[in-house]
Amino acid sequence: MPWVTDIHPTTEELNACVQCGLCLPVCPTFRLTGRETASPRGRLHAMSAVHQGLVEVDEAFASILDFCLGCRACEPVCPGLVPYGRALEGARAEIVEQVPGRGNRRRWLLGAGLGSRSLMGAATTAVSLAQRLGLTRLAPGRLRRLASGMRKLSARPPATVGHTGGSGDAGTIALLAGCIQDQWFGGVNHTAIELLERAGHRVTVPVTQTCCGALAAHDGKAAEARRLAERNVRALGSADLVVATAAGCSAHLIGYGHWADGGQAMASKTVDVTVAVARAIEEGRLPRLRGTRGPIAVQDPCHLRHGQRVVDEPRMILRAAGYEVVEIDDAALCCGAAGIYTVLQPEASERLGNQKAAQVRSTGVSRVSSANPGCEMQLRSHLGSDYVVRHPIEWYAMAVDEEFAG
Amino acid sequence: MSLLAELRAVLGREDVLEEPVELYVYSKDASLMRGEATAVVFPQDSAEVAEIVRVAERHGVPIVARGAGTGLAAGASPTEGGIVLSTTAMTSLEIDPENRTAWVGAGVINLDLSKAAEPFGLHFAPDPSSQSACTIGGNVANNSGGPHCLAEGSTTSHVLGLEVVLAGGEVVTLGGDAPDTPGLDLKGVIVGSEGTLGIVTRALVRLLPIEPDVRTLLMDFPDMEGAARTVSQVIAAGLVPAALELMDQRMTVAVENWLHAGLPIDSAAVLLAEVVGETVGVESQAQLIADIGRANRAKKVQIAADAAERDLLWKGRKSAFGAIAQLAPDYYLHDAVVPRTKLVETMTAVYDIADKYDLTMLNVFHAGDGNLHPLIAFDASDPEVNRRVHQAGDEIVAICLKNGGALSGEHGIGVEKRDLMRTSFSELDLDAQARLKDVFDPGRVFNPNKILPEGSRCFDFGGVRREIPDGAWV
Ligand SMILES: Cc1cc2nc3c(=O)[nH]c(=O)nc-3n(C[C@H](O)[C@H](O)[C@H](O)COP(=O)(O)OP(=O)(O)OC[C@H]3O[C@@H](n4cnc5c(N)ncnc54)[C@H](O)[C@@H]3O)c2cc1C
Ligand code: SF4
Ligand code: SF4
């Protein structure tokens, strides 16, 4: 077997695929290209070829796997219950180890930034300055695309790390702040804390926590992913409930069983913030509002819908606030953000982003709800400034403020 | 020029795959049988297909058409090597709502066609369980059917015309929208030919109005006889349900263990029936079916009140495939039609065979047209089990045929069932089919050695062993 890591795709994972092809039509990259090599079945097939020693982990293999978004839309439709996302992480780890060029590019991109609060802080100050001076327009194409999707940053965003508050009648919550989320989407974390405390939770945002490790894991940096997971289990694992506000982070925490000792125990009490808030509304700990507030188009982040099968909660939250929920895409195809995909596969990312934007435009609704920072940026950059994109709990909190102010 | 160089010259470098790992990915469809392609190509239209055919003929290499590769009979596996011609770039679609027809590129996905037709109140009737993935070209080539083909017929009843690329790269249009095109029905010859006579590039299909209303019933019976008699009597009463699907107890238990949907696991048989049409009509038909069921000792009759309940009733049936995927790594499936009157007798015999060979056998099938899918779940890595599965399979086919049945081509014949053709057709029949193949494909480039067993022309028996299909739909 030409695998060299201990997290390579396993015989069971690969044999679970009966090659029925039912995953093809839900795969965004297959839809774009019509190529089996860009489909879940094809990618598993390629992994099997390596597993059997028929081909090497080489450039050709790497390009098949690199084109995958990791959106996991292929999982819910699979009758064989193939754990595709897990197998993909294994295959990516192999690529990082065995295909020097590919590995380096990913290492460089992920670099030291994520997971280091001071570096993220420095980056944030720089971007905020650039935004104010209008320099983002001068950035090279791919980065300009990224920059145009960002929220307006303040040079020193009020981070939530270190916060503790709330009564705790409804139990304690440890909040994973998330590296990008806390610095660049801080509003979401503040809203989450406000709502969850109002719902009777004691919310802590422990300082000892770190990046969830999702990007490291998706991009093959296994040792790094393990180190981060273990640290978070120690930092967050003792609360009654662990909550993350970015769907990409919550999805990864739920898979901690693979990454850390005690990871499974923590995973079983981890939920996305939309689930925690929906639950509080359901149980009457947060209000249902009476007013009607017009339509909002709902985008489903892949890591929420496909990775966690959370579909109803964001809709329920919006409805409870009096918004009319407008669907944009039954199949919930990926918007093309997908972590660092925007940078690694700019063409496909661009096409998927445009496709998603067109779906939003065709609803005629200018307010959009998205529960993941990456998707939010992608949507904003493809939709332009006439559209407002916010997290569902932010839409909810805005309505609550309005109702109780008026 | 080399084969690859010529292909690149025709299509451009991007649309010709030749890396080993890429070729491996295209080495098989949803069956177990693997081949080895030299190249994979993605033509955009019939003109490019014609060029590819000419290149293949010059080099004397086979062309294997491939839609979505959901076929279960190795029809799209390049078992004789050569060029895999993927149709996924041929996705043109023109709907003519007034005439209720559509010209559809071969690579268009079945369900995408119905979705595109929905705004006009129309749909494409053939609904194989793989409809979310499989292509119109594959449906035409396999003459595919589905649960709802009982009333409306399989793909062949819905194809009005075909654009086909024949030997020599000749592009022809067979049939058309005139009610009865003059001359021989050559389009009918192409439907079901599994890519052995030419490459379908576009199809003119009939679209049917979406039925205004629907009633779905689920009934469970203490014995298979009661369920089978209900099926016969429903049809004898002149009803033509859109679907009549039966699951046996073993299947129900397997699905329930996986799904936990509250299925009646202590009943011998579960029958799902669906009627479509105007509200008044479907209401009375549903009542009639329920009455017939009760007269045959149905224990419980559920009629879906709304779309959500309907989905729930179908869920068990539609999850059969998943349940089997959970049960064992491999399946062996036969596809045979028996007269409805012989259903119970055949089933009993089939169970006996499974018991004799100590194998796990489950049944879920299109009862309305007597289409059985006896299915054995097993682990192919044990050669001894493999042998038993083969023997049981042969006996199952024999008993179906003895009871007046026929092999069904619903899932294609391909390579997997090729050698069973001898059990259904006389030497004379096979010879005629082989001659037809020769007329269409003198250079033997189109999917050679599929459908027709080795030596159909000179009657040399024996030889190639059949492989065991996996990934089977039921
Ligand atoms: C889960 C599952 C459920 C299924 N359910 C059903 C069912 O209910 N009913 C049913 O009938 N089948 C069923 N099938 C079998 C299969 O899906 C159908 O036969 C389907 O029509 C194949 O379409 P495809 O596009 O995948 O064709 P492929 O598998 O790619 O090809 C099938 C055959 O058609 C030929 N072919 C494909 N395109 C062309 C073309 N343009 N011109 C000439 N030849 C061509 C190929 O060479 C091959 O011989 C099922 C399969 C699976 C995996
Ligand atoms: S749906 Fe699952 S079993 Fe079927 S081909 Fe895709 S990954 Fe394999
Ligand atoms: S994760 Fe997304 S892009 Fe990757 S194979 Fe699955 S569906 Fe396709």
Side-chain angles (χ1 to χ4, degrees):
Chain A
M1 236 192 296
W3 303 128
V4 298
T5 72
D6 58 357
I7 61 163
H8 64 76
T10 65
T11 307
E12 283 97 81
E13 285 164 356
L14 297 174
N15 279 358
C17 175
V18 295
Q19 277 146 16
C20 62
L22 295 184
C23 52
L24 266 55
V26 302
C27 172
T29 54
F30 177 76
R31 284 296 200 168
L32 279 184
T33 60
R35 307 249 161 138
E36 187 73 28
T37 40
S39 79
R41 178 174 65 178
R43 290 175 177 130
L44 289 162
H45 218 145
M47 293 181 214
S48 288
V50 174
H51 197 67
Q52 294 166 51
L54 299 173
V55 299
E56 304 275 302
V57 176
D58 57 8
E59 275 290 333
F61 178 75
S63 53
I64 289 178
L65 274 296
D66 271 1
F67 194 49
C68 172
L69 293 148
C71 70
R72 294 166 70 188
C74 42
E75 289 188 19
V77 298
C78 172
L81 304 184
V82 176
Y84 178 85
R86 209 323 288 164
L88 174 69
E89 286 175 358
R92 290 240 168 109
E94 293 289 336
I95 293 169
V96 166
E97 288 303 318
Q98 301 195 45
V99 191
R102 301 270 170 169
N104 289 342
R105 202 146 59 100
R106 288 187 177 276
R107 261 187 220 118
W108 177 83
L109 272 165
L110 285 170
L114 301 178
S116 155
R117 219 165 287 138
S118 50
L119 279 178
M120 275 302 291
T124 307
T125 312
V127 175
S128 132
L129 213 63
Q131 281 181 340
R132 255 175 278 170
L133 298 175
L135 295 180
T136 45
R137 269 181 293 121
L138 305 177
R142 301 177 190 185
L143 290 179
R144 189 162 59 229
R145 182 49 103 186
L146 267 179
S148 70
M150 290 180 68
R151 294 184 175 194
K152 271 265 176 299
L153 300 184
S154 58
R156 289 176 170 279
T160 55
V161 175
H163 169 95
T164 303
S167 71
D169 298 343
T172 59
I173 285 180
L175 189 81
L176 179 96
C179 6
I180 296 176
Q181 189 80 324
D182 213 33
Q183 297 279 347
W184 293 0
F185 298 80
V188 180
N189 280 350
H190 286 286
T191 306
I193 291 171
E194 201 181 296
L195 290 175
L196 293 172
E197 287 182 358
R198 184 173 178 158
H201 292 286
R202 180 164 186 80
V203 181
T204 65
V205 194
V207 274
T208 47
Q209 67 176 280
T210 181
C211 165
C212 69
L215 290 180
H218 297 164
D219 294 297
K221 297 172 73 189
E224 175 80 353
R226 257 190 217 119
R227 188 179 63 75
L228 297 171
E230 273 157 14
R231 199 160 136 200
N232 280 330
V233 169
R234 281 196 299 278
L236 310 168
S238 59
D240 298 328
L241 205 62
V242 178
V243 170
T245 52
C249 302
S250 53
H252 188 61
L253 294 186
I254 284 166
Y256 260 17
H258 298 299
W259 294 106
D261 292 336
Q264 191 50 50
M266 181 173 125
S268 62
K269 57 180 179 183
T270 300
V271 293
D272 185 75
V273 70
T274 51
V275 176
V277 169
R279 222 179 260 169
I281 297 172
E282 188 74 41
E283 292 168 6
R285 291 183 282 117
L286 284 173
R288 279 178 199 275
L289 311 180
R290 260 166 296 133
T292 49
R293 289 186 172 75
I296 287 189
V298 182
Q299 180 262 356
D300 289 300
C302 296
H303 283 105
L304 197 60
R305 177 155 170 161
H306 307 309
Q308 304 179 57
R309 319 279 156 97
V310 171
V311 183
D312 294 338
E313 283 83 350
R315 292 167 173 72
M316 184 267 194
I317 292 170
L318 293 170
R319 289 203 185 94
Y323 300 105
E324 177 204 336
V325 170
V326 178
E327 300 292 343
I328 56 175
D329 169 17
D330 291 341
L333 278 193
C334 181
C335 67
I340 55 173
Y341 197 83
T342 336
V343 184
L344 287 179
Q345 304 281 347
E347 220 176 288
S349 170
E350 186 75 12
R351 283 173 67 190
L352 290 169
N354 286 335
Q355 194 173 298
K356 185 62 67 183
Q359 286 171 334
V360 173
R361 286 200 191 95
S362 73
T363 63
V365 178
S366 63
R367 296 184 297 184
V368 185
S369 151
S370 172
N372 194 51
C375 311
E376 180 184 315
M377 282 168 66
Q378 177 84 340
L379 285 167
R380 185 173 297 119
S381 86
H382 285 267
L383 282 168
S385 54
D386 294 343
Y387 290 76
V388 186
V389 191
R390 282 285 179 255
H391 193 286
I393 67 167
E394 292 183 298
W395 286 117
Y396 175 81
M398 262 154 60
V400 171
D401 288 350
E402 219 176 83
E403 178 124 333
F404 290 92
Chain B
M1 266 202 282
S2 74
L3 174 70
L4 285 167
E6 284 204 47
L7 290 173
R8 276 187 233 120
V10 172
L11 296 167
R13 191 171 284 277
E14 276 285 289
D15 288 333
V16 182
L17 301 185
E18 51 191 274
E19 284 284 340
V21 64
E22 294 170 334
L23 298 178
Y24 184 77
V25 163
Y26 278 94
S27 63
K28 71 189 276 297
D29 54 16
S31 73
L32 245 200
M33 198 174 263
R34 200 175 284 287
E36 207 172 318
T38 313
V40 184
V41 295
F42 300 88
Q44 309 275 341
D45 53 29
S46 55
E48 287 189 350
V49 172
E51 291 283 349
I52 295 165
V53 169
R54 283 192 281 267
V55 172
E57 284 175 341
R58 268 201 298 281
H59 289 267
V61 299
I63 300 182
V64 181
R66 178 185 173 104
T70 67
L72 298 167
S77 297
T79 47
E80 306 291 320
I83 302 165
V84 170
L85 184 154
S86 166
T87 61
T88 53
M90 296 193 280
T91 51
S92 63
L93 178 54
E94 296 154 45
I95 295 177
D96 178 350
E98 249 149 60
N99 289 312
R100 294 183 180 164
T101 58
W103 267 111
V104 193
V108 170
I109 293 175
N110 175 306
L111 193 59
D112 287 357
L113 169 58
S114 281
K115 278 190 187 153
E118 196 182 320
F120 307 106
L122 300 170
H123 76 299
F124 183 59
D127 63 339
S129 300
S130 52
Q131 75 175 142
S132 64
C134 64
T135 64
I136 295 299
N139 295 167
V140 169
N142 278 357
N143 188 18
S144 297
H148 287 90
C149 286
L150 176 57
E152 302 297 350
S154 58
T155 301
T156 194
S157 321
H158 304 273
V159 174
L160 301 169
L162 291 174
E163 180 186 85
V164 191
V165 179
L166 300 173
E170 187 189 353
V171 183
V172 295
T173 303
L174 306 174
D177 40 15
D180 188 10
T181 40
L184 294 176
D185 179 15
L186 291 176
K187 138 187 92 67
V189 173
I190 300 289
V191 178
S193 67
E194 303 188 27
T196 62
L197 306 182
I199 310 291
V200 176
T201 46
R202 291 196 307 152
L204 177 66
V205 299
R206 188 200 314 278
L207 299 174
L208 296 183
I210 297 173
E211 297 291 350
D213 210 347
V214 51
R215 288 291 177 280
T216 308
L217 300 91
L218 192 79
M219 300 183 267
D220 58 298
F221 295 85
D223 49 34
M224 189 49 83
E225 286 78 6
R229 226 176 302 118
T230 304
V231 170
S232 295
Q233 290 175 5
V234 163
I235 297 204
L239 297 179
V240 190
L244 267 178
E245 301 282 310
L246 248 169
M247 290 209 286
D248 71 0
Q249 187 167 13
R250 302 179 202 203
M251 191 69 237
T252 312
V253 171
V255 173
E256 182 59 19
N257 282 345
W258 184 48
L259 261 192
H260 308 293
L263 292 172
I265 48 170
D266 42 9
S267 295
V270 176
L271 179 67
L272 184 89
E274 189 157 278
V275 285
V276 296
E278 297 295 338
T279 306
V280 212
V282 294
E283 195 59 58
S284 61
Q285 287 179 27
Q287 286 312 328
L288 187 54
I289 294 175
D291 290 343
I292 295 175
R294 287 196 196 93
N296 286 301
R297 296 191 294 128
K299 293 203 284 191
K300 193 170 161 208
V301 179
Q302 302 176 58
I303 304 185
D306 54 31
E309 276 191 36
R310 173 175 179 238
D311 288 348
L312 209 63
L313 295 190
W314 269 102
K315 194 169 177 192
R317 172 66 186 84
K318 289 196 170 160
S319 305
F321 180 72
I324 294 155
Q326 296 305 300
L327 215 59
D330 302 279
Y331 338 104
Y332 185 61
L333 157 110
H334 271 300
D335 186 9
V337 193
V338 295
R340 275 188 299 273
T341 48
K342 292 284 175 97
L343 215 55
V344 177
E345 191 183 326
T346 313
M347 295 275 300
T348 316
V350 163
Y351 286 134
D352 287 346
I353 295 168
D355 289 346
K356 183 167 106 193
Y357 288 102
D358 191 21
L359 295 165
T360 308
M361 146 93 62
L362 308 90
N363 279 283
V364 50
F365 51 93
H366 316 309
D369 43 18
N371 189 340
L372 292 180
H373 297 326
L375 192 144
I376 301 167
F378 73 109
D379 183 351
S381 60
D382 182 342
E384 204 277 322
V385 177
N386 245 331
R387 190 187 50 78
R388 278 188 280 138
V389 169
H390 267 108
Q391 284 178 352
D394 288 349
E395 286 188 27
I396 289 169
V397 174
I399 201 79
C400 291
L401 296 176
K402 188 174 135 250
N403 285 341
L407 276 185
S408 153
E410 184 189 76
H411 299 159
I413 300 293
V415 191
E416 299 277 19
K417 309 230 171 93
R418 181 183 58 195
D419 297 343
L420 289 173
M421 288 285 280
R422 293 193 194 290
T423 56
S424 293
F425 292 102
S426 73
E427 296 175 358
L428 223 56
D429 293 334
L430 289 177
D431 184 51
Q433 295 188 35
R435 282 167 200 268
L436 183 70
K437 161 85 174 159
D438 279 349
V439 170
F440 273 89
D441 185 22
R444 310 248 183 109
V445 292
F446 293 122
N447 219 358
N449 277 334
K450 302 286 170 74
I451 306 186
L452 295 176
E454 202 84 3
S456 290
R457 258 172 239 89
C458 46
F459 317 130
D460 62 337
F461 278 78
V464 199
R465 250 327 287 162
R466 196 172 61 251
E467 285 279 324
I468 295 167
D470 77 344
W473 118 272
V474 281

